[in-house]
Amino acid sequence: MTGPAAKQPLDDRPAALILEGVTRRFGATVAVDAVDLTVRSGELFSLLGASGCGKTTLLRMIAGFEIPNSGRVLIDGQDVTHAPPYERPVNMVFQSYALFPHMTVAQNVAYGLKQTGMARSERDDRVQEVLALVELDSFGRRRPDQLSGGQRQRVALARALAKRPKILLLDEPLGALDRKLRERTQFELVNLQERIGTTFILVTHDQEEAMTMSDRIAIMQGGHILQIGPPREVYEYPTSRTVADFIGAANLLEGTVASVEGRSAEIRLQATGGAAMAESDIPLKTGDAVTVMVRPEKIQAHRASTGAANELSGTVIDIAYLGDLSIYHVQIADGVRVQVAIANRRHADEAPFTWDDAVFLSWHPGDGVILIT
Amino acid sequence: MRARTSIASGLGRRLVVGTPFFWLVVFFLAPFAIVFGISLSRSRFGVPPYEPLWQNGALAARLDNYAFLLDDPLYLTALLNSLEIAALSAAICLVLGYPIALGVARAPKSWRAPLLLAVILPFWTSFLIRVYAWTGLLKKEGLINDALIWLGLAAEPIQMLQTDFAVHLGIVYSYLPFMVLPLYASLERQDMSLLEAASDLGARPWRAFLTITLPLSLPGALAGFLLVFIPAVGEFVIPELLGDAGTAMIGKVLWTEFFNNRDWPLAAALAITVLTLIVAPLAWLEHLRLKRSEASQ
């Protein structure tokens, strides 16, 4: 998802959320450690990480359920660091949806509007409007226990949108849905976000979900943000081994810098002793210990040597058939394997390689990314 | 093989369902039938102190006792008085018990078990002794009056024992745990994220309590109310020990008919009437509730 062309460039838009050195400790553990973050107005932003990385605590500090030990939270330019949840212009879609079981769908959606003292007729109109937005117009009189999981998720969404929040927070909003429904809902959510233009901040552990939906992703680990960027950027140009490993599959080959010429460098690989070409924006000097990262789908495999600059030879030792593509595990040296993804354009029984085949692997120098850590 | 296991599991199921059935038949339905039989009889001197229902090959049932209950206003007055005292006491229990139950349910997890134990702890002493202990506290030269006079809050001892106040106090004190426990159960299993959602949607804590916590705990409150109200209607020990001789509660009247007047048939008729008057409306309410929940399905 790259967003429609009509969208204003992100950097020109005002900030919807600014976090300044936000830290939250629970006893001796630091859940969120001095995080700085700016989310632009109208952005669909994801916090991505494994469980325990601090992404949920960060979201709860934006919502007001947790107060930071230090740092500041600014929403729409207002310092709300110590404001209670009921005074913040944000609303949340809870992971469990947290629908009020003793109220109808319409009453659930109207709950937030009632707290603001909105007139009844205006309230009823708004409830109908947001229910129409999530295509539940005719479900207003049902109770939550009479709805399917997907419908409940949409009620939670409608309830959180009813007050027209400055920022909508979504805590693993699709986690409870089955795979097919999840994929459809991802697109529905993105379309909805583009239509209403509200800033969405989404917490997820599912990298596919983050990649599909987000304008930008923040990858978190151990209370820190490792990298922030659009999906394409964090996938193609990760800045650390952890990010490379977390987003998609990555071949990580260790080596030392043999020579540098502009952005490209020649790396002597530890595993084979051979040379490989790769690119980096980081200034390098000869002798630096680095890692070369190559995505499995960027590698070509051939039966004979092609004489390309980046070439490794090895033996096929494992094949994982995934239907649309197959992953070949190629051993290039003792204990060092490279994964190669090849699309299955023909039937699998006509696969180009089989076990124990000798293969030559190569990739375009620009597809190799040099990582320092 | 399959048939045998299904027979075995069928037997198991019958055993599981049958046990409470058996219990109810032997310890509730059978005694109820016996008491009902006695209520249709006439008292006499002798053992047993009532005439057999089956006399000279004919059924000698009569409704005289029920007619007598309607005739003498003593019984109706006592019944209404009992209902009033029980309802007021149950309401006081609800008001006192709710904050206790909420406090325990919202306490840190490791605190809940000891706090619940503290609520149940009085049950480890005999009920009779605990009620009797109140006479020592409430009487004219008792601890409370002594303290009030010593503090200068009262010029002379206040009559507390043998009043309706003492009866209410005794019932509230004795039955409070029956209110706290079901309330606690319904409050403790409430999903805390509902309160977070309410707060997120702009509800201040007090509004969130009124709109979320309170309505969701109503079934627990109703269960607690009935658990206090029903036994309190028939309470005998508390009005006997703490009330005055004129406190006409239906349990005391029943006791008098049974032990003092030795009129077993009249006492039995009274017991059946009270039971019916309490059970019938409850059964009707339950019926309505079931019908409503079926309709909403």
Side-chain angles (χ1 to χ4, degrees):
Chain A
M1 215 291 308
T2 51
K7 262 193 177 180
Q8 203 180 346
L10 274 179
D11 292 343
D12 298 350
R13 290 188 231 160
L17 170 79
I18 298 174
L19 300 181
E20 289 176 358
V22 166
T23 299
R24 180 72 175 107
R25 284 182 289 271
F26 295 106
T29 54
V30 185
V32 172
D33 194 359
V35 163
D36 294 305
L37 178 67
T38 301
V39 177
R40 300 276 158 200
S41 175
E43 195 172 4
L44 205 167
F45 190 91
S46 290
L47 294 166
L48 174 65
S51 63
C53 72
K55 58 188 193 295
T56 299
T57 306
L58 198 60
L59 195 77
R60 290 174 62 82
M61 284 193 286
I62 302 169
F65 299 129
E66 303 283 350
I67 302 297
N69 295 100
S70 60
R72 296 207 304 159
V73 178
L74 290 98
I75 295 170
D76 217 28
Q78 297 263 326
D79 187 336
V80 294
T81 314
H82 297 281
Y86 49 84
E87 284 173 4
R88 297 188 183 207
V90 301
N91 286 121
M92 183 144 155
V93 176
F94 288 79
Q95 185 171 11
S96 62
Y97 309 145
L99 299 179
F100 306 130
H102 57 301
M103 298 182 194
T104 63
V105 167
Q107 286 168 333
N108 263 282
V109 176
Y111 188 87
L113 303 172
K114 258 188 196 167
Q115 311 308 320
T116 63
M118 183 186 271
R120 193 186 168 116
S121 60
E122 196 184 343
R123 201 168 71 208
D124 290 346
D125 290 346
R126 183 77 72 84
V127 168
Q128 269 314 306
E129 181 194 318
V130 284
L131 281 179
L133 202 63
V134 296
E135 289 163 31
L136 284 175
D137 328 42
S138 55
F139 287 75
R141 304 179 70 164
R142 299 256 190 120
R143 282 182 186 273
D145 61 358
Q146 297 166 321
L147 300 177
S148 71
Q151 290 167 338
R152 263 180 244 176
Q153 193 264 350
R154 272 150 48 198
V155 175
L157 189 64
R159 188 179 68 175
L161 285 173
K163 286 183 81 177
R164 299 197 177 141
K166 294 268 194 287
I167 304 175
L168 184 75
L169 307 171
L170 302 106
D171 185 8
E172 304 267 5
L174 311 176
L177 306 180
D178 62 62
R179 198 186 159 85
K180 277 264 181 249
L181 186 58
R182 197 162 63 218
E183 283 171 5
R184 212 181 66 212
T185 313
Q186 282 172 7
F187 287 106
E188 284 175 2
L189 261 181
V190 172
N191 290 337
L192 178 74
Q193 194 266 342
E194 281 173 5
R195 246 186 308 152
I196 61 177
T198 305
T199 311
F200 278 29
I201 298 180
L202 176 97
V203 153
T204 181
H205 68 274
D206 183 339
Q207 51 119 345
E208 248 178 72
E209 190 172 300
M211 299 280 286
T212 321
M213 297 176 64
S214 320
D215 291 318
R216 286 194 304 154
I217 301 176
I219 294 117
M220 288 190 73
Q221 192 193 42
H224 296 275
I225 292 181
L226 299 179
Q227 188 175 352
I228 302 178
R232 185 190 295 264
E233 186 181 304
V234 293
Y235 183 78
E236 302 285 358
Y237 303 106
T239 55
S240 63
R241 290 185 63 133
T242 324
V243 172
D245 227 12
F246 193 79
I247 307 270
N251 293 303
L252 298 167
L253 301 166
E254 283 161 37
T256 48
V257 177
S259 66
V260 187
E261 200 186 316
R263 287 188 72 240
S264 55
E266 188 180 323
I267 313 293
R268 192 148 306 280
L269 298 179
Q270 212 175 61
T272 61
M277 301 299 292
E279 292 188 351
S280 169
D281 289 331
I282 318 160
L284 296 166
K285 58 181 194 298
T286 309
D288 281 352
V290 294
T291 302
V292 178
M293 193 275 311
V294 195
R295 297 288 182 193
E297 74 280 6
K298 304 263 194 304
I299 300 179
Q300 285 92 46
H302 302 278
R303 288 202 174 275
S305 172
T306 56
N310 293 318
E311 193 165 73
L312 300 168
S313 63
T315 316
V316 175
I317 53 169
D318 250 327
I319 303 172
Y321 174 70
L322 301 180
D324 49 351
L325 47 81
S326 291
I327 308 287
Y328 294 83
H329 292 242
V330 178
Q331 181 152 332
I332 56 164
D334 264 356
V336 182
R337 292 177 177 193
V338 170
Q339 289 185 33
V340 183
I342 298 175
N344 291 321
R345 295 217 176 77
R346 296 165 155 208
H347 288 298
D349 46 5
E350 295 170 38
F353 305 108
T354 182
W355 284 269
D356 295 330
D357 277 359
V359 290
F360 291 86
L361 310 176
S362 63
W363 64 90
H364 185 270
D367 289 336
V369 177
I370 298 176
L371 306 172
I372 301 291
T373 44
Chain B
M1 196 62 213
R2 181 183 256 175
R4 217 152 91 201
T5 48
S6 91
I7 288 170
S9 71
L11 199 75
R13 186 176 308 155
R14 253 174 249 171
L15 206 70
V16 169
V17 178
T19 308
F21 241 154
F22 176 80
W23 181 273
L24 281 176
V25 168
V26 170
F27 293 106
F28 180 77
L29 209 56
F32 182 83
I34 294 169
V35 171
F36 184 64
I38 295 172
S39 77
L40 299 175
S41 166
R42 193 154 54 176
S43 76
R44 67 166 193 199
F45 288 102
V47 178
Y50 55 88
E51 290 175 355
L53 270 184
W54 200 256
Q55 283 174 357
N56 312 323
L59 196 62
R62 63 196 98 229
L63 293 168
D64 297 9
N65 296 313
Y66 291 95
F68 187 74
L69 289 181
L70 286 176
D71 233 29
D72 193 332
L74 165 74
Y75 302 105
L76 186 66
T77 313
L79 183 65
L80 288 179
N81 202 25
S82 302
L83 292 175
E84 190 190 317
I85 288 176
L88 183 59
S89 301
I92 295 171
C93 275
L94 181 60
V95 172
L96 290 180
Y98 203 102
I100 298 176
L102 190 64
V104 178
R106 297 285 186 267
K109 242 194 172 92
S110 57
W111 279 72
R112 289 180 205 164
L115 285 174
L116 269 188
L117 189 72
V119 171
I120 309 169
L121 208 60
F123 286 140
W124 292 28
T125 326
S126 154
F127 169 69
L128 206 58
I129 291 172
R130 280 184 288 126
V131 175
Y132 197 72
W134 275 103
T135 61
L137 292 171
L138 295 173
K139 65 187 174 187
K140 279 205 163 148
E141 56 282 2
L143 215 58
I144 294 173
N145 269 322
D146 284 354
L148 287 177
I149 290 168
W150 186 77
L151 287 169
L153 294 173
E156 53 190 68
I158 300 165
Q159 175 73 40
M160 286 184 288
L161 202 58
Q162 284 143 11
T163 60
D164 275 2
F165 163 73
V167 175
H168 285 117
L169 182 73
I171 294 176
V172 170
Y173 162 76
S174 304
Y175 288 102
L176 192 58
F178 293 110
M179 178 60 81
V180 173
L181 292 179
L183 264 178
Y184 167 79
S186 79
L187 286 169
E188 198 261 348
R189 64 158 193 259
Q190 270 184 26
D191 181 358
M192 290 304 285
S193 70
L194 296 181
L195 281 183
E196 286 193 341
S199 176
D200 182 68
L201 291 165
R204 289 165 179 281
W206 183 240
R207 285 228 17 115
F209 171 79
L210 287 180
T211 51
I212 309 296
T213 310
L214 193 62
L216 286 176
S217 67
L218 281 183
L222 183 66
F225 190 91
L226 292 179
L227 278 177
V228 174
F229 176 75
I230 293 172
V233 170
E235 184 54 58
F236 164 73
V237 171
I238 294 169
E240 177 69 18
L241 289 180
L242 305 180
D244 80 310
T247 312
M249 281 189 74
I250 204 73
K252 263 179 82 175
V253 173
L254 219 156
W255 172 280
T256 312
E257 291 302 346
F258 199 83
F259 290 99
N260 298 8
N261 302 349
R262 276 182 72 78
D263 192 341
W264 284 28
L266 188 65
L270 191 54
I272 297 285
T273 309
V274 172
L275 188 72
T276 314
L277 285 178
I278 293 176
V279 168
L282 288 181
W284 185 65
L285 270 179
E286 181 66 16
H287 172 72
L288 278 187
R289 198 182 63 79
L290 272 180
K291 235 169 71 176
R292 210 174 43 204
S293 75
E294 264 167 30
S296 79
Q297 279 305 302

